Amino acid sequence: MNKMDSLPPNTKQKLERLYDNRQFDALLKELHVVLREYPKNPFAWNLAGEAFRRVGRVHEAVTAFQQVIKLTPDYYGAYNNLGIIFAHQGALDGAVWYFDRAAELKPDVMFPRFQGFYHKRSMCDWSDIDAVSSMVEELIASKQEVPPWALLFAEDNPAHQRLHSQAYAKSLAINRRASRPKRKVGDKIRIGYFSADMHSHATAYLIAGLLRHHDRAQFELFVYSYGPKEDEWTTRLKETADNWVDA
């Protein structure tokens, strides 16, 4: 990338701020202008891929990440993001390939290594299982965040699982102070449940009784559903919630 393709620092900071604040639609509008002026900037293309992925425009996300690799073949983020997309689409061979390439580019970053291992297990590929124990030790020592689900095959230590979950949750949190709403004595306690599995899924089967047996005199329930589908179980769960939000 030559100097003419580099983003001005204030432009880069603005794009990063929009991304950090999860303002993906605004980010895409800004990137539409930026990429016309800097069409060979891999950072901008990678950010476009991230934003497209977050708003569900998967095909455009794949195109953007592939453009990053075309411009900069050793751009770690593009391989990692393509691994995530392929995994979500169930194309596990492709996901593992991209995660392995990302791990080769940044061997000290634990995320793609564990994601690749996890999806190999999903394909019943146990060829490198002997390396898992040492990888878990590396992960604990590094204090990096990895999706806890990707670690379930690796160990069954509850204390470690909790540490991994806390680290990952912290990485997803937006660093923004929210004012605590004022409550009067006797007001109901509001409880929110947030899930993509409010349909015919193990989570829905297990949570149905929990939602149904809350004491409505003391609690008000909010359910935020961001799942891909609705069915008869969604209807059942809606009947148990005081407030249902299709997120």
Side-chain angles (χ1 to χ4, degrees):
M1 183 173 66
N2 61 47
K3 191 173 182 180
M4 294 295 292
D5 298 321
S6 299
L7 296 182
N10 60 328
T11 299
K12 186 176 181 181
Q13 290 169 6
K14 182 178 181 180
L15 296 175
E16 289 175 330
R17 184 167 59 252
L18 289 171
Y19 179 81
D20 290 342
N21 289 329
R22 277 42 173 193
Q23 296 175 268
F24 300 119
D25 289 327
L27 174 59
L28 286 170
K29 289 181 181 179
E30 193 71 26
L31 283 165
H32 181 71
V33 176
V34 169
L35 285 168
R36 280 190 298 181
E37 188 172 355
Y38 303 95
K40 294 184 178 181
N41 185 274
F43 171 82
W45 277 110
N46 191 67
L47 210 55
E50 285 269 23
F52 281 132
R53 180 172 70 86
R54 298 300 183 113
V55 299
R57 294 163 66 177
V58 177
H59 179 75
E60 291 162 288
V62 170
T63 300
F65 291 134
Q66 289 174 339
Q67 178 66 13
V68 175
I69 294 172
K70 182 179 178 181
L71 293 169
T72 311
D74 60 351
Y75 201 103
Y76 160 83
Y79 291 97
N80 190 62
N81 284 317
L82 283 168
I84 293 171
I85 289 175
F86 274 65
H88 285 173
Q89 292 181 323
L92 300 187
D93 283 333
V96 168
W97 190 90
Y98 280 112
F99 282 131
D100 284 349
R101 299 294 80 73
E104 289 172 2
L105 290 169
K106 288 194 175 183
D108 293 335
V109 178
M110 306 303 294
F111 179 90
R113 293 171 64 187
F114 271 97
Q115 288 292 87
F117 267 57
Y118 173 73
H119 293 300
K120 287 178 184 177
R121 303 297 85 80
S122 298
M123 296 187 292
C124 296
D125 179 354
W126 301 90
S127 57
D128 47 10
I129 192 65
D130 291 340
V132 171
S133 296
S134 60
M135 280 180 57
V136 170
E137 293 176 3
E138 285 184 61
L139 176 62
I140 295 170
S142 70
K143 297 183 180 179
Q144 295 179 38
E145 63 273 0
V146 170
W149 189 258
L151 294 163
L152 293 180
F153 79 93
E155 64 168 355
D156 58 0
N157 185 313
H160 288 173
Q161 292 289 349
R162 181 175 182 178
L163 288 174
H164 301 321
S165 298
Q166 289 174 331
Y168 187 64
K170 186 177 180 180
S171 74
L172 298 178
I174 298 176
N175 187 19
R176 183 187 300 160
R177 287 184 176 272
S179 58
R180 175 178 291 185
K182 294 182 180 180
R183 292 182 62 246
K184 298 178 181 179
V185 176
D187 280 356
K188 292 182 180 180
I189 296 173
R190 294 177 172 182
I191 301 177
Y193 293 92
F194 190 78
S195 177
D197 301 322
M198 297 299 187
H199 53 87
S200 295
H201 186 278
T203 299
Y205 306 154
L206 293 170
I207 204 174
L210 172 66
L211 296 177
R212 189 169 56 251
H213 288 97
H214 275 294
D215 184 349
R216 290 304 199 278
Q218 299 186 55
F219 301 100
E220 183 179 4
L221 301 190
F222 292 77
V223 176
Y224 301 89
S225 174
Y226 64 103
K229 64 178 182 179
E230 293 191 4
D231 56 26
E232 68 277 5
W233 271 91
T234 310
T235 303
R236 291 190 196 183
L237 294 172
K238 284 182 177 181
E239 294 172 353
T240 66
D242 300 304
N243 304 273
W244 184 279
V245 179
D246 185 357

